[in-house]
Amino acid sequence: QVQLVESGGGLVQPGGSLRLSCAASGIIFRVYAMGWYRQAPGKQRELVATITSGGSTNYADSVKGRFTISRDNAKNTVYLQMNSLKPEDTAGYYCNAHLITLVRTYDYWGQGTQVTVSS
């Protein structure tokens, strides 16, 4: 019933740009913190960027100044604008929805979208 569906990945040349989208359903989207994570073959999944329900953002040092996370609560969608892409950005990118309450933590993941940066 809860679904996070990523889109926008693909093949891009170094220095190029992509915008990823994650459309959420089955949750009260506006109350969740949202995030983007990535995982390259043989490596741990790592945080790329997060945005709280109030709009505060955080970024991994490796993407600061190049990536921008944003959200549109009316569309139940979170975005990741990726500029000045580098080969080391190549990974599967995963959307996350996260909510902490006094009772429990809610955590949901999408299936991922592949980003490949290569000439």
Side-chain angles (χ1 to χ4, degrees), residues 15-90:
S17 298
L18 285 172
R19 189 176 78 154
L20 307 184
S21 299
C22 171
S25 60
I27 62 171
I28 304 175
F29 179 83
R30 68 180 184 276
V31 308
Y32 278 75
M34 303 297 298
W36 288 96
Y37 295 73
R38 67 188 182 188
Q39 188 168 30
K43 302 182 73 175
Q44 300 269 357
R45 185 170 295 189
E46 65 174 348
L47 171 70
V48 177
T50 61
I51 183 166
T52 69
S53 61
S56 297
T57 59
N58 275 288
Y59 299 92
D61 288 343
S62 59
V63 307
K64 282 182 180 176
R66 300 189 297 122
F67 291 11
T68 303
I69 189 170
S70 61
R71 65 192 296 158
D72 186 339
N73 289 339
K75 296 181 178 180
N76 287 359
T77 300
V78 63
Y79 305 95
L80 185 68
Q81 178 67 47
M82 304 185 294
N83 299 325
S84 302
L85 282 161
K86 305 174 180 180
E88 49 263 48
D89 296 318
T90 296

Side-chain angles (χ1 to χ4, degrees), residues 7 11 16 24 42 44 51 55 87 94 110:
S7 62
L11 175 64
Q44 300 269 357
I51 183 166
Y94 298 85

